[in-house]
C-alpha cells in the first residue's frame, strides 16, 4: 500500500459524495461517477451512510460504493458503511427507548435482544458499523447528552454496554469466511471520561486524576468494549490533556495495557467544530492542522471522521518529510484492516437482496417489552395506581407531552411517524371499556403562557382522576442542529433541572381542582420539582420511550403491566444539590443532624446546614422503583464468609412476592469496603438479577461477584484487592433489606 492508500483507510468518506441524499422521499437510482472516484481515492476506509432514504436507494448507494472499491481499485478493500443506532437503526428503523430508559429495566438479556433487532434491520441494508453504545456516565445532569447513557453507575453501564455490544455483533454476515467473528462493528464511546464536563457544558473539560479515571470512567469500557470492533474517542480534555491526543489513555492504557486490537476513530464533526482540529480550535495545544494530525495519529492511533477539514490529508507530506511516524500509520491501518476481516467484509460487503427486515413481529414484541420495563414508578401514595378500568368512569389526560411522541436524540426525520403518543396509548388500552378520556394540552412545553389552563382545569373537573404528562424534550438530529428549541440532546445543556415554562403551574392548577393527580415525567434526565414530589398522588418516570411509548405508559397506568423499572440515575432535589449520584466517596455528603433545610409550600423557611434550605439527599436514589405488588427478602447467605482475591463470592437471598399479583423484582447487591488505603465509595453496585414472581411465589436468587471487582487503585498506582471486611447489602442504594459481612484475606 502506498502512503496515500494507507491514509485513505483512516479517513471517513460520505455517501453523499456520489449520491444526492437531501430528500428522504427521492428514489432516484443514479450516482455521480466522478464524485465516487474522487471520494474513494482519499476517504475510503469507512463511509458515513446515516441518512433517511428509501431502502431501495440506500441499497443502491451502498452497492455502488462497495462495487467500485472491490472492482475498480488496486487493492480491492471494502469500506465499513456506518450509521447511528443508539436506540434503534435510524433510517426508518424501529426506535427503542433512550439508553437511559432502557437501563432502568436492569434487564441485560432484553437489551441484548434490542441490539440484535437493531443489527437485524441495519445489516441487510449494507451497514457494518453502528455508533453505539455510549458508556459515558450520567453523573453531570446539566449535560445535554444524559439520555444517551445507561445511567450514573459504572457497573450498570458496563453490564448494559456489554449486552448491547454482544447483541449487535453476534453472528456473521452471509457468506463470510470462518475467520469472521461479528456481523456488525459496535462503537463504544466516548473514550473516556466525557460525560462529566465542567458546568455541564458539552465539550468542556473534565477534572480528575488517575484514580478517578481508573476507578470510575474506564471501568465500563474495560467491561463492555474489549470485544467491540470499534471505539470512538472523547472530545473533551481530561486533567488538562485532550482525550483524542492522550497517549497515556489511547496508547499506553487502551492499546498496550488492555491489548485492544480494533478500530479507534475520532468523533463526528459538527457545524461548530471539527474533531481532529480540536487541539487547535478548542484546546489550544496545537498551532497548526499538521500538529493536530500528527498528535491524533501518533498519540491516538486513530482514524478521522469526516464532515470537517480532513486534516489527515496533511499526513502523506508529513510522513515523507519525516515529521510523522510511518510506524504509527501502519499500526493504525492494521487495526482498520483487522476490523474489516473480523466483519467478513472482504468476502461479502454488499447489501442483501432481501434487505427489508424492518419492524418484524419479533422486533415489535421486543420493543413493547423494553418500553414496559423502562418505566419507573417513583411514588404511589395510597396505592392510587393502577387505575381501574371498571372503577372509574373518566380520566383526564393533560399536559404538553400527552398528545405527542417525544424521542431522545439520535433519531432522524420521520421517526415520530411510527410512534404512539400517550393519548393514542390511552385510547388503545381503554378500547372496549366505558372509561372516557378527557384530553387537554394545557400549555406548550416551551411557553410560559397559561392560555390553555381553563380547558385543562375543565377536563380535570369532569374526570375522576387526572394524569398530567410533562417533562423535557429533544428533537431529531436535523432539527436539533438547526436551532429549533429543545431542552435535552447533544449540545443542548441546561442550568436548571426544573420544568420549563408553565408546566409546574399547570400541575398546580389541576391539583387545585381537588382531583387525584398522577404526574408523568417524560424526560431525558431527572426533573427536580419539590412541589410535585410533595403534592402529586403518584409520580411516574418515562425516560424518553420508543415508538410504543404511549401504549406502554397506558398499560402501566391501568395495570395491564406491573411496573418493574428502577431508576438508573439519582434524582436531585434541585440543580444546586447535584451531583446526586449514589456512590460518592466517603465523607463527601455530610447530612446535618438537625435535619435538612427546606421551604414550605406556603413560603415558610426552615433552615438547616447541608444545605441551609435543601438537602443533599436526592428525592429518589439510584435503584429505586416501586411495583404494584410487594416483595420480602430473607435467608441471606454467602458461598464463603472468608475469601481470597481469586475467589468469586456467590450471594444468595430468598425473595418472596407477598402481594396479590405477579411482578418482577430487581435484586440489587451493593458492597462497601469498610477500611482501605485510599478513600472508597460509601457503597457500590456489584451485581444484580431480575426475577419474575407469581403472587405468593418465592425464589432463591444468586448473584456472583468476582472478588477482583473489589480492587482499588492504590497509592502505588495499581489495582489491588486489599484484605479486610466488606459489608454486603441487598436492596437499593437508599434502602437495605438484608445485609451481612464478608472478609477478604
Amino acid at each position: 500500500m502506498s502512503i496515500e492508500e494507507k491514509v485513505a483507510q483512516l479517513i471517513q468518506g460520505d455517501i453523499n459524495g456520489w449520491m444526492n441524499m437531501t430528500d428522504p422521499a427521492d428514489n432516484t437510482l443514479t450516482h455521480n461517477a466522478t464524485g465516487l472516484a474522487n471520494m474513494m481515492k482519499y476517504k475510503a476506509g469507512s463511509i458515513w451512510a446515516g441518512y433517511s432514504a428509501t431502502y431501495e436507494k440506500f441499497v443502491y448507494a451502498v452497492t455502488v460504493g462497495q462495487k467500485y472499491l472491490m472492482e475498480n481499485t488496486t487493492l480491492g478493500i471494502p469500506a465499513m458503511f456506518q450509521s447511528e443506532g443508539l436506540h434503534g437503526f435510524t433510517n426508518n428503523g424501529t426506535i427503542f427507548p433512550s439508553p437511559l430508559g432502557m437501563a432502568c429495566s436492569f434487564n441485560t438479556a432484553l437489551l441484548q435482544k434490542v441490539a440484535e433487532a437493531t443489527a437485524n434491520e441495519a445489516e441487510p441494508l449494507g451497514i457494518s458499523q453502528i455508533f453505539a453504545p455510549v458508556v459515558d456516565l450520567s453523573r453531570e445532569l446539566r449535560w445535554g447528552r444524559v439520555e444517551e447513557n445507561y445511567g450514573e453507575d459504572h457497573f450498570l453501564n458496563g453490564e448494559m454496554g456489554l449486552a448491547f455490544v454482544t447483541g449487535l455483533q453476534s453472528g456473521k454476515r452471509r457468506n463470510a469466511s470462518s475467520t469472521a467473528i461479528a456481523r456488525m462493528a459496535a462503537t463504544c464511546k466516548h473514550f473516556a471520561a466525557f460525560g462529566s464536563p465542567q458546568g455541564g457544558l458539552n465539550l468542556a473539560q473534565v477534572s480528575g486524576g488517575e484514580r478517578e479515571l481508573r476507578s470510575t470512567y474506564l471501568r465500563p469500557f474495560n467491561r463492555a468494549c474489549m470485544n467491540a470492533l470499534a471505539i470512538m474517542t472523547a472530545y473533551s480534555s481530561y486533567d488538562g490533556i485532550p482525550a483524542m491526543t492522550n497517549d497515556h489513555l489511547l496508547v499506553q492504557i487502551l492499546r498496550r495495557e488492555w491489548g485492544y486490537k480494533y478500530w479507534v476513530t475520532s468523533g463526528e464533526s459538527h457545524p461548530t467544530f471539527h474533531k481532529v482540529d480540536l487541539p487547535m480550535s478548542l484546546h489550544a495545544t496545537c498551532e497548526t492542522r499538521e500538529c493536530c494530525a500528527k498528535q491524533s495519529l501518533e498519540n491516538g492511533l486513530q482514524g478521522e471522521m469526516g464532515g470537517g477539514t480532513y486534516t489527515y490529508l496533511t499526513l502523506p507530506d508529513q510522513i515523507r518529510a519525516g515529521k510523522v511516524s510511518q510506524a504509527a500509520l501502519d499500526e493504525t491501518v492494521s487495526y482498520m484492516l483487522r476490523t474489516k476481516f473480523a466483519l467478513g467484509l472482504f468476502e461479502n460487503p454488499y447489501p442483501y437482496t432481501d434487505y427489508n427486515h424492518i419492524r418484524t413481529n419479533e422486533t415489535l414484541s421486543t420493543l413493547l417489552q423494553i418500553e414496559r420495563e423502562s418505566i419507573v414508578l417513583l411514588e404511589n401514595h395510597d396505592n392510587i395506581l393502577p387505575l381501574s378500568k371498571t372503577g372509574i368512569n373518566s380520566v383526564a389526560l393533560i399536559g404538553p407531552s400527552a398528545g405527542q411522541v417525544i424521542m431522545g436524540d439520535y433519531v432522524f426525520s420521520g421517526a415520530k411517524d411510527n410512534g404512539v403518543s400517550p393519548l393514542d396509548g390511552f385510547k388503545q388500552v381503554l378500547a372496549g371499556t366505558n372509561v372516557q378520556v378527557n384530553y387537554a394540552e394545557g400549555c406548550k412545553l416551551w411557553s410560559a403562557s397559561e392560555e390553555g389552563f381553563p380547558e385543562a382545569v375543565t377536563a380535570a373537573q369532569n374526570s375522576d382522576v387526572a394524569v398530567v404528562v410533562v417533562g423535557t424534550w429533544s428533537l431529531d438530529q436535523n432539527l436539533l442542529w438547526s436551532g429549533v428549541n429543545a431542552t435535552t440532546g447533544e449540545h443542548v445543556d441546561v442550568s436548571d433541572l426544573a420544568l420549563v415554562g408553565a408546566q409546574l403551574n399547570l400541575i398546580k392548577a389541576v391539583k387545585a381542582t381537588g382531583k387525584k393527580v398522577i404526574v408523568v415525567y417524560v424526560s431525558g434526565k431527572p426533573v427536580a420539582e419539590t412541589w410535585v414530589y410533595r403534592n402529586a398522588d403518584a409520580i411516574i418516570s418515562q425516560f424518553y420511550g420508543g415508538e410504543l411509548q404511549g401504549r406502554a405508559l397506558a398499560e402501566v397506568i391501568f395495570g395491564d403491566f406491573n411496573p418493574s423499572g428502577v431508576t438508573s440515575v439519582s434524582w436531585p432535589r434541585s440543580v444546586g444539590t447535584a451531583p446526586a449520584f449514589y456512590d460518592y466517596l466517603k465523607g463527601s455528603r455530610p447530612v446535618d443532624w438537625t435535619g435538612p433545610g427546606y421551604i414550605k409550600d406556603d413560603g415558610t423557611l426552615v433552615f438547616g446546614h447541608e444545605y441551609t434550605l435543601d438537602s443533599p439527599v436526592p428525592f429518589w436514589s439510584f435503584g429505586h422503583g416501586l411495583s404494584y405488588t410487594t416483595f420480602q427478602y430473607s435467608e441471606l447467605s454467602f458461598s464463603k464468609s472468608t475469601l481470597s482475591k481469586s475467589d468469586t463470592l456467590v450471594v444468595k437471598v430468598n425473595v418472596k412476592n407477598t402481594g396479590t399479583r405477579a411482578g418482577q423484582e430487581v435484586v440489587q447487591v451493593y458492597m462497601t469496603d469498610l477500611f482501605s488505603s485510599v478513600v472508597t465509595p460509601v457503597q457500590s453496585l456489584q451485581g444484580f438479577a431480575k426475577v419474575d414472581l407469581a403472587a405468593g411465589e418465592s425464589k432463591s436468587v444468586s448473584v456472583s461477584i468476582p472478588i477482583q471487582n473489589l480492587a482499588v487503585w492504590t497509592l502505588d498506582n495499581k489495582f489491588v484487592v486489599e484484605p479486610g471486611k466488606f459489608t454486603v447489602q441487598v436492596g437499593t442504594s437508599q434502602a437495605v433489606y438484608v445485609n451481612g459481612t464478608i472478609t477478604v484475606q
Side-chain angles (χ1 to χ4, degrees):
M1 297 175 71
S2 68
I3 291 176
E4 283 77 11
E5 288 169 334
K6 293 175 184 177
V7 171
Q9 285 296 306
L10 305 188
I11 302 178
Q12 179 196 48
D14 198 305
I15 206 169
N16 71 3
W18 65 91
M19 299 291 297
N20 183 348
M21 306 300 289
T22 56
D23 183 0
D26 175 65
N27 199 39
T28 304
L29 304 184
T30 60
H31 69 278
N32 182 333
T34 301
L36 176 64
N38 186 65
M39 177 69 66
M40 296 311 191
K41 182 177 180 180
Y42 298 105
K43 308 154 192 172
S46 57
I47 303 294
W48 172 244
Y51 292 96
S52 295
T54 67
Y55 299 140
E56 186 179 17
K57 181 177 179 178
F58 194 89
V59 165
Y60 172 85
V62 175
T63 302
V64 164
Q66 296 287 38
K67 189 176 180 66
Y68 179 87
L69 288 170
M70 297 293 285
E71 299 179 4
N72 295 88
T73 64
T74 304
L75 299 170
I77 301 174
M80 290 194 297
F81 277 75
Q82 308 159 317
S83 189
E84 301 290 353
L86 192 62
H87 48 123
F89 177 50
T90 43
N91 183 13
N92 197 27
T94 307
I95 300 301
F96 295 87
S98 66
L100 189 68
M102 291 191 289
C104 294
S105 72
F106 272 61
N107 192 332
T108 54
L110 186 55
L111 183 65
Q112 184 171 326
K113 291 180 68 175
V114 169
E116 289 172 357
T118 301
N120 288 343
E121 296 187 341
E123 177 196 350
L125 292 166
I127 294 297
S128 50
Q129 183 178 5
I130 290 290
F131 293 149
V134 175
V135 291
D136 301 323
L137 302 184
S138 300
R139 298 164 84 85
E140 171 47 86
L141 298 179
R142 293 171 292 181
W143 189 45
R145 304 183 74 172
V146 167
E147 67 209 51
E148 298 179 24
N149 314 318
Y150 295 118
E152 69 186 39
D153 179 60
H154 70 75
F155 183 85
L156 180 63
N157 266 264
E159 296 304 303
M160 288 293 180
L162 178 61
F164 193 92
V165 169
T166 302
L168 199 69
Q169 294 191 168
S170 292
K172 293 184 180 181
R173 292 184 55 78
R174 295 179 188 175
N175 302 319
S177 69
S178 60
T179 60
I181 61 172
R183 59 172 173 157
M184 187 74 65
T187 311
C188 287
K189 56 184 189 174
H190 304 84
F191 194 77
F194 186 52
S196 297
Q198 188 176 84
L201 295 170
N202 196 42
L203 307 184
Q205 71 175 70
V206 180
S207 300
E210 186 74 5
R211 182 164 292 102
E212 187 169 8
L213 180 70
R214 297 274 191 166
S215 303
T216 304
Y217 298 121
L218 291 186
R219 274 183 152 154
F221 285 96
N222 185 260
R223 172 62 174 161
C225 307
M226 290 303 93
N227 291 319
L229 295 189
I231 285 175
M232 184 185 295
T233 55
Y235 303 77
S236 54
S237 64
Y238 183 81
D239 195 23
I241 303 174
M244 64 176 304
T245 60
N246 191 329
D247 175 84
H248 176 63
L249 183 64
L250 296 177
V251 179
Q252 303 310 318
I253 294 178
L254 181 63
R255 298 296 192 184
R256 309 298 183 238
E257 183 181 327
W258 292 359
Y260 186 71
K261 297 296 184 184
Y262 298 108
W263 182 236
V264 173
T265 184
S266 68
E268 307 95 320
S269 292
H270 291 294
T272 54
F273 56 87
H274 307 304
K275 183 64 183 293
V276 169
D277 287 352
L278 288 179
M280 178 179 64
S281 60
L282 183 69
H283 303 300
T285 55
C286 275
E287 292 188 54
T288 65
R289 293 175 60 234
E290 286 77 8
C291 171
C292 293
K294 173 182 171 66
Q295 290 195 6
S296 295
L297 180 67
E298 293 182 345
N299 296 351
L301 300 176
Q302 66 194 301
E304 177 182 18
M305 290 186 67
T309 54
Y310 299 104
T311 294
Y312 269 22
L313 291 176
T314 67
L315 287 174
D317 287 343
Q318 291 199 81
I319 290 171
R320 288 196 176 91
K323 297 179 180 179
V324 172
S325 166
Q326 184 161 342
L329 173 66
D330 291 347
E331 183 177 355
T332 308
V333 172
S334 75
Y335 298 136
M336 168 59 89
L337 295 179
R338 180 180 285 111
T339 297
K340 291 179 178 179
F341 279 115
L343 289 166
L345 289 180
F346 285 87
E347 296 86 55
N348 181 21
Y350 301 110
Y352 307 151
T353 54
D354 57 333
Y355 51 76
N356 194 338
H357 293 264
I358 310 294
R359 293 184 184 83
T360 64
N361 289 335
E362 183 179 3
T363 295
L364 292 177
S365 176
T366 299
L367 169 63
L368 184 56
Q369 190 62 22
I370 196 73
E371 297 270 26
R372 292 163 169 165
E373 294 193 30
S374 298
I375 294 172
V376 182
L377 179 61
L378 295 171
E379 294 287 342
N380 191 22
H381 299 297
D382 299 323
N383 293 318
I384 185 175
L385 291 175
L387 299 181
S388 170
K389 296 178 185 177
T390 57
I392 62 172
N393 296 314
S394 57
V395 57
L397 183 60
I398 296 167
S401 304
Q404 62 173 319
V405 174
I406 302 178
M407 295 172 171
D409 67 354
Y410 281 95
V411 298
F412 290 173
S413 177
K416 291 184 179 182
D417 296 344
N418 302 302
V420 176
S421 69
L423 178 59
D424 292 333
F426 269 50
K427 291 177 179 178
Q428 291 176 11
V429 169
L430 293 174
T433 74
N434 294 320
V435 179
Q436 173 70 35
V437 178
N438 297 317
Y439 167 70
E441 184 180 40
C443 66
K444 299 293 184 184
L445 281 166
W446 50 85
S447 173
S449 172
E450 300 182 359
E451 183 179 354
F453 279 25
E455 182 184 4
V457 168
T458 298
Q461 290 172 334
N462 292 336
S463 304
D464 296 320
V465 63
V467 177
V468 185
V469 190
V470 294
T472 63
W473 69 100
S474 191
L475 302 165
D476 70 58
Q477 289 305 99
N478 289 335
L479 291 174
L480 200 65
W481 285 94
S482 68
V484 178
N485 66 68
T487 53
T488 73
E490 185 171 0
H491 88 293
V492 182
D493 310 314
V494 295
S495 62
D496 199 341
L497 299 176
L499 292 170
V500 171
Q503 294 182 83
L504 177 59
N505 285 343
L506 175 64
I507 301 170
K508 290 180 177 180
V510 173
K511 181 68 176 178
T513 65
K515 300 301 172 96
K516 297 290 187 180
V517 175
I518 298 147
V519 173
V520 178
Y521 288 132
V522 173
S523 65
K525 62 180 63 182
V527 174
E529 285 292 0
T530 299
W531 191 92
V532 175
Y533 174 75
R534 291 176 181 163
N535 293 280
D537 296 286
I539 304 174
I540 291 173
S541 167
Q542 185 178 41
F543 291 133
Y544 297 145
E547 294 178 12
L548 298 180
Q549 55 187 258
R551 172 66 182 268
L553 179 62
E555 287 181 342
V556 166
I557 288 175
F558 289 97
D560 292 352
F561 182 79
N562 189 355
S564 64
V566 299
T567 183
S568 58
V569 62
S570 301
W571 293 61
R573 295 173 182 267
S574 69
V575 71
T577 66
F581 51 81
Y582 82 97
D583 58 338
Y584 54 91
L585 296 184
K586 294 166 186 168
S588 298
R589 192 171 296 169
V591 178
D592 186 6
W593 65 271
T594 63
Y598 59 96
I599 304 174
K600 294 182 179 181
D601 290 342
D602 64 3
T604 302
L605 304 181
V606 178
F607 288 93
H609 293 91
E610 291 96 7
Y611 296 97
T612 57
L613 292 172
D614 217 325
S615 169
V617 178
F619 290 138
W620 308 284
S621 191
F622 175 85
H624 170 82
L626 304 178
S627 170
Y628 294 151
T629 189
T630 53
F631 300 96
Q632 184 182 73
Y633 287 71
S634 63
E635 300 176 23
L636 176 67
S637 66
F638 306 133
S639 55
K640 294 180 181 179
S641 58
T642 302
L643 304 97
S644 71
K645 63 182 181 181
S646 61
D647 284 336
T648 294
L649 170 67
V650 180
V651 178
K652 289 187 178 181
V653 66
N654 188 72
V655 183
K656 182 178 182 179
N657 183 342
T658 53
T660 58
R661 60 183 295 162
Q664 295 173 291
E665 173 73 339
V666 178
V667 179
Q668 306 165 51
V669 180
Y670 297 84
M671 294 185 68
T672 301
D673 189 344
L674 293 181
F675 295 95
S676 48
S677 62
V678 297
V679 183
T680 54
V682 292
Q683 59 182 325
S684 58
L685 181 70
Q686 294 292 344
F688 59 86
K690 196 162 191 176
V691 58
D692 292 90
L693 292 168
E697 184 182 10
S698 296
K699 286 184 180 178
S700 178
V701 180
S702 296
V703 176
S704 296
I705 302 168
I707 295 300
Q708 279 294 328
N709 289 0
L710 304 179
V712 299
W713 189 255
T714 66
L715 297 172
D716 295 328
N717 290 319
K718 57 185 178 181
F719 275 117
V720 175
V721 177
E722 297 183 331
K725 293 185 181 297
F726 295 78
T727 59
V728 181
Q729 301 121 216
V730 181
T732 74
S733 68
Q734 275 181 320
V736 177
Y737 302 149
V738 289
N739 65 286
T741 303
I742 64 161
T743 300
V744 175
Q745 292 181 332

